[in-house]
Amino acid sequence: MNDLSPEKKERSGLAKWSRRGFIGAGVLAGGGLLIGIGVRPGNPIDKLASSVAPGDGEQLVNSWVKIDTNNIVTAIVPHCEMGQGAHSVLAQMLADELDAAWDKVNVMQAPADGSYVVGDTARMFLAPFTLNAADWIEPTWDGLFTQMARLADAMITGGSSSIRTTGQHSMRVAGAAARQMLKGAAAEAWDVPASEIVTRDSTLIHEASGNSAPYSEFATAAAEQPMDHTPTLKKSSEYRLMGKSKARTDIPAKITGTAEFGIDAVPEGLDLSYAAVVRPPIQGTSVESMDATRAKDMPGVLQILNMGNYVAVVADSYWQAQQAVNTIQIGWSEPESKIKTMDDQFAAFAAALDDAGETGGNEAAAKGNAQDAFGKAATTIEAEYKAPYLAHAPMEPLNCTAHYKDGKCDIWTSTQVPLMARSEVAKTIGLSADDITIHHPYLGGAFGRRLGAEYVAMAARIAKATGYPVKMIWSREEDTQKALYRCADMNRLRAGLDDAGNLMAYDSVFTQRHDPAEACVPAMYDIPNTSVRVAEAELHLPFQAWRSVDHSQQGWFIESFIDEAAHAAGKDPLEYRLAMLKDAPRHRAVLEKVAEISEWRAPSGEGKAKGVAIVESFGTIVAEVIEVDMSSGKPKMTNVWAVCDAGYAMNPDGFRNQIEGGIVFGLTAAMYGELELVDGAIKQSNFHDYKMLRINEVPEITVELINSGDVPIGGAGEPGLPPAAPALTNAIFAATGKRLRELPIAKQFA
């Protein structure tokens, strides 16, 4: 590291639990109660008490539920709040099982110290089939994935998993357990059967004796009650809060401006300095030369650091740091990648697909004998689709505040993976993870970008190198041009139709497969012969999961090509899909409902047409119909109708909000999303050339929900996105006869 500092300036100085986890209780002084499930040997109970229940009138039993002497219930939530409303809905699920008064419920972010790793999160990502395991094997899976999750630092918010894992298998159980404990304590005090006591609005009531009391009155005694290891959970007919559109707990602070995000961090007692950084324009290159003559003499500049794979300027303010770093002339090493333009990238994809041919590559899914069926098909159609690289573009720029002192490091940052961030910092600056504290505020958007932790490690490294408490902020240009991305991809598809136009053979080969593994498979459709293959090709830009991950490309590939098959067969695209969903009643119901609310079968106005798409992702089925007006020669989206079946929507208003957000995100990507390469580096830099859908361009959006019954519930944050692009391009085809097989759309109507 080269230190080009100007003259030194004076500076002022618990454990996871599941539905079948063990329920325990214990008491600390103060008169409150904190309840958790899944206490296992070695659980850091004392550590949890000091971090989540430090005040007077609070008591710790183990992990998730705290009741204080003011009769306030606090739900301790292990997932981050990044605008999706997870904090509120998780608290709502817990409060319903507890029969708590919603206006007396608070939410607390769980500490990022490893105590709140949820094993079900690992199960959702690694082996979702085990989530509904038989009773006799459940404890084995439970223990295995708890340990796996801890080893993998799996305190994660992503994959639309918070409500369907932690909510269903943890928060509800905690609420039910707490309610039983409270009833047991009151029954002993009143000398009545616990079965005669009812709970309502954080109050215990025994009507026959006339006794009633707030939960807080029995909090201490409740902690001493024996516990049923598997408390009975409510049936949907008994819900009071779940299934209702309750107001979110995070909104008031966001309206008043008192909500704290990572970029707001001003740790008490620290005199912050600020860092701006420049990373290499092409991944894998490093600093070979640097001229910082101008920057060294600029006002406020404290230190200029050559960190090898990036350059940092530390100054008294972020503006001073950014202005200074902009003047530094850096020579970078030659990149290994030979890809200079997107034409080069797609050529590399094409070469991999050429090598795979009609039968090569790695098999992702197979059914029947696709190659034999193609030989018998009356009609064969083929298509090639291209999807570009995309940036995440969260509104809150990437940032991290780090304070390194005496072999310990405090971190304040917006992250989806606080424990992974802690481990990354530990590895980077040579500390034990136990010597690193992650402070975990709200996130100003993420969409998968904050699943990476490289920016957190950078800030810690700068803080250690300078000796200053440092707030590092990436400029918008830095994050657009030198970050992690939704990968580009190319997909070649073939369909074989019989004499009646039915789809009898389907073949797909593409170059990029990440998560979820099933995204590339049209499993809901009754296609007798299917072949899905991956012909791997190297990516020029580094990958990071992007909202809905592989479904964002595969939803467009599959649903566009199904539309092509329908038109080749001379059939209505929606009816064509329905005919292939005879054994998928939930999918049929969703598609039929969207046909109804969109008036699919009624003619559109002059210059207008509708397109349809249906995708199941993250446990939720979403069908969308989009109407487009092409009378001006360019696409104008007028209406979107969406119908969703997530099994059960815990907060319908919040669920609709997330579907609407996913639709807008997906339409933005379809219309404008593209990262271009010039000499191997990204051309786009900010919102002027990496465009977002503006409010005047957003169509009217109607979202309806179907609660289909006793099935595992699905997610909300991501499933609204995948059908948006294919429904839009299918509508454009219906209006113009022009089939779009490459995105973005606006570029093709410029």
Side-chain angles (χ1 to χ4, degrees), residues 378-397:
T379 304
T380 299
I381 62 171
E382 299 182 0
E384 180 179 275
Y385 283 80
K386 298 178 183 178
Y389 287 108
L390 297 175
H392 298 76
M395 285 302 295
E396 180 192 9

Side-chain angles (χ1 to χ4, degrees), residues 611-647:
V612 64
I614 179 171
V615 179
E616 179 179 356
S617 63
F618 304 96
T620 297
I621 304 163
V622 180
E624 293 172 13
V625 169
I626 294 182
E627 182 181 65
V628 65
D629 184 346
M630 295 297 302
S631 57
S632 69
K634 295 184 178 182
K636 176 180 174 56
M637 297 168 287
T638 58
N639 284 282
V640 179
W641 297 271
V643 175
C644 317
D645 180 357

Side-chain angles (χ1 to χ4, degrees), residues 519-537:
C520 58
V521 184
M524 63 183 169
Y525 291 124
D526 182 17
I527 305 172
N529 302 285
T530 302
S531 171
V532 180
R533 298 167 290 126
V534 187
E536 295 180 1

